[in-house]
Amino acid sequence: MKVALTEHTSRPWRIHEIAHDFEVEDVWALPTPGGPDDFELLTSELTTGGRPGDDTAGVTRLLWAARWKLGEVLGWDRDDAGLRARVPTLRDRLPDDLREAPRPELGELPFSSLYKLDDEFAAELANATVHAVLHLGWVEDGNGRYRGQMAVLVKPNGLFGRLYMAAIKPLRYLFIYPAMMRNYERYWQRATGGRGPSTGTVTGAVGLDRVPESMRGPLDADYADIFTLATDVTATPDHCARTMFEDVAGDGGQRIWRRLLGLRLAPRPWTDTVAGWSVAERGDHWIRLQARSRMLTFNLVVRVGEGSVTLVTLGRYDRLLGRILWSLTSRIHRRAAPGLLRDTARKLR
């Protein structure tokens, strides 16, 4: 789950005094619930990890393979483009206590450790495009629970570096980060035996005939899917929808709906909008959101029942191009929906 940059900048991490001239690019809450002493378990995943992309599949694996091949052909990852060649290592900035802190080896990951403390870890990477810092922290999540938090800090290499970062940003949000979160969740389940608060099982189906008529009503739809999370978390439909689309989906969701599909979403929050979507209807246990473009009309129905939260997506193709666009992006939506529901339950919990 992507969180606000202030979740990183407002905390007293030691990395602030080391990488003060770096930009905070992204901050993510990791699906790793635990206790106050579980940070060692989180960082141990890095020491045994393979090269990025080795443990992924499908489009994500292909993207990583393409990145490594481009780096090889264009020389982005040459030694003379890295640490102590193009840029000095941040280890030269470390105060004495951090210089003496442990530096775990990172397996095949292309990062070099900077330091590791009881609740904080940092590593750096440099190539022809960027000088970057990977930062992991262990933060209290309320009621004695803790979780991991990952921040990415960057210093692009001039105009070329900034153009490169801008070009790959949609790919990071649509493929790379979701794959990382799934890998972290699988690792954490294996490492902890599934302990920690459970968010329940998600069931899903695609097709108008799979969505109960009470949830689609008289809407004229060409596409429909339904995902239901079994959970003991309770909330009003409005609160659940706002947590799902404003707090959890955030900028990544906006990019899919607004930029890829051209949906006209409100630029500022209003009483009758949720994450830019118009509130079309409300019921005692549900809320329906709507957005349109020249090509598509979409409705999102969030229903809160006893022991479950359901998300229904209904789409109408107003132009042939809309059908083509959604056929290309619907797979991303269907893969993201279960995680979106789980993250919402975690946030509400």
Side-chain angles (χ1 to χ4, degrees):
M1 179 170 65
K2 189 175 185 296
V3 296
L5 301 186
T6 53
E7 285 291 316
H8 173 80
T9 58
S10 65
R11 299 181 185 274
W13 303 121
R14 297 295 302 277
I15 194 64
H16 297 323
E17 61 191 271
I18 311 304
H20 51 81
D21 51 344
F22 281 61
E23 304 168 15
V24 182
E25 180 75 9
D26 292 301
V27 185
W28 293 82
L30 301 180
T32 56
D37 301 321
D38 284 337
F39 186 58
E40 181 69 32
L41 189 63
L42 178 66
T43 55
S44 66
E45 163 71 346
L46 295 175
T47 64
T48 58
R51 198 180 193 187
D54 290 349
D55 52 356
T56 59
V59 176
T60 306
R61 190 183 187 94
L62 181 63
L63 288 172
W64 275 116
R67 166 58 185 87
W68 298 129
K69 191 62 179 179
L70 279 174
E72 178 184 338
V73 172
L74 300 178
W76 291 347
D77 304 317
R78 294 194 315 262
D79 290 343
D80 60 1
L83 297 172
R84 299 190 184 280
R86 186 180 71 80
V87 294
T89 172
L90 292 179
R91 281 194 58 80
D92 295 341
R93 302 183 183 183
L94 296 182
D96 291 342
D97 63 324
L98 293 184
R99 197 182 300 273
E100 296 172 2
R103 294 180 59 203
E105 295 296 328
L106 297 182
E108 296 183 34
L109 293 175
F111 282 86
S112 176
S113 289
L114 289 171
Y115 62 86
K116 178 179 172 297
L117 304 175
D118 291 340
D119 62 350
E120 184 179 356
F121 168 80
E124 65 177 335
L125 167 151
N127 54 37
T129 64
V130 70
H131 187 183
V133 173
L134 172 68
H135 182 272
L136 292 180
W138 196 239
V139 300
E140 189 169 5
D141 206 17
N143 298 323
R145 295 191 299 267
Y146 288 74
R147 61 166 170 80
Q149 182 170 288
M150 179 181 75
V152 178
L153 291 73
V154 299
K155 183 187 287 188
N157 183 15
L159 178 60
F160 166 65
R162 292 193 177 278
L163 291 175
Y164 172 81
M165 293 294 294
I168 68 170
K169 193 165 190 174
L171 300 178
R172 294 204 319 271
Y173 282 106
L174 292 175
F175 300 104
I176 304 301
Y177 283 131
M180 289 177 64
M181 296 302 112
R182 290 192 296 271
N183 288 339
Y184 261 117
E185 187 166 25
R186 285 195 293 267
Y187 161 74
W188 199 254
Q189 289 295 317
R190 292 194 308 268
T192 64
R195 63 183 168 84
S198 173
T199 54
T201 302
V202 177
T203 58
V206 179
L208 282 169
D209 58 326
R210 309 300 294 274
V211 178
E213 187 173 350
S214 61
M215 293 190 186
R216 52 187 166 95
L219 297 174
D220 179 19
D222 300 303
Y223 171 92
D225 63 42
I226 179 171
F227 292 89
T228 298
L229 169 70
T231 177
D232 57 357
V233 170
T234 59
T236 66
D238 279 60
H239 187 192
C240 189
R242 292 186 187 282
T243 302
M244 188 179 301
F245 299 115
E246 292 178 352
D247 295 352
V248 175
D251 293 340
Q254 288 272 350
R255 287 188 183 89
I256 295 175
W257 297 115
R258 189 195 300 271
R259 298 184 186 178
L260 292 184
L261 301 177
L263 295 181
R264 295 186 288 272
L265 304 180
R268 297 186 302 275
W270 301 96
T271 303
D272 290 330
T273 64
V274 174
W277 291 68
S278 300
V279 177
E281 283 187 287
R282 283 187 177 91
D284 291 340
H285 304 290
W286 57 274
I287 183 172
R288 178 167 66 86
L289 311 177
Q290 188 177 83
R292 291 187 174 92
S293 74
R294 296 180 179 179
M295 303 169 292
L296 297 155
T297 299
F298 268 89
N299 287 269
L300 301 176
V301 180
V302 177
R303 185 179 184 89
V304 179
E306 186 173 348
S308 68
V309 175
T310 298
L311 170 64
V312 176
T313 302
L314 301 164
R316 187 184 72 218
Y317 309 130
D318 300 322
R319 299 284 190 279
L320 176 60
L321 181 57
R323 180 184 293 274
I324 295 171
L325 282 174
W326 185 242
S327 69
L328 296 173
T329 55
S330 60
R331 182 175 298 183
I332 299 171
H333 162 75
R334 292 193 294 269
R335 292 185 65 178
L340 183 63
L341 283 166
R342 293 191 184 99
D343 287 343
T344 301
R346 292 192 187 98
K347 187 79 173 180
L348 291 172
R349 192 185 297 276

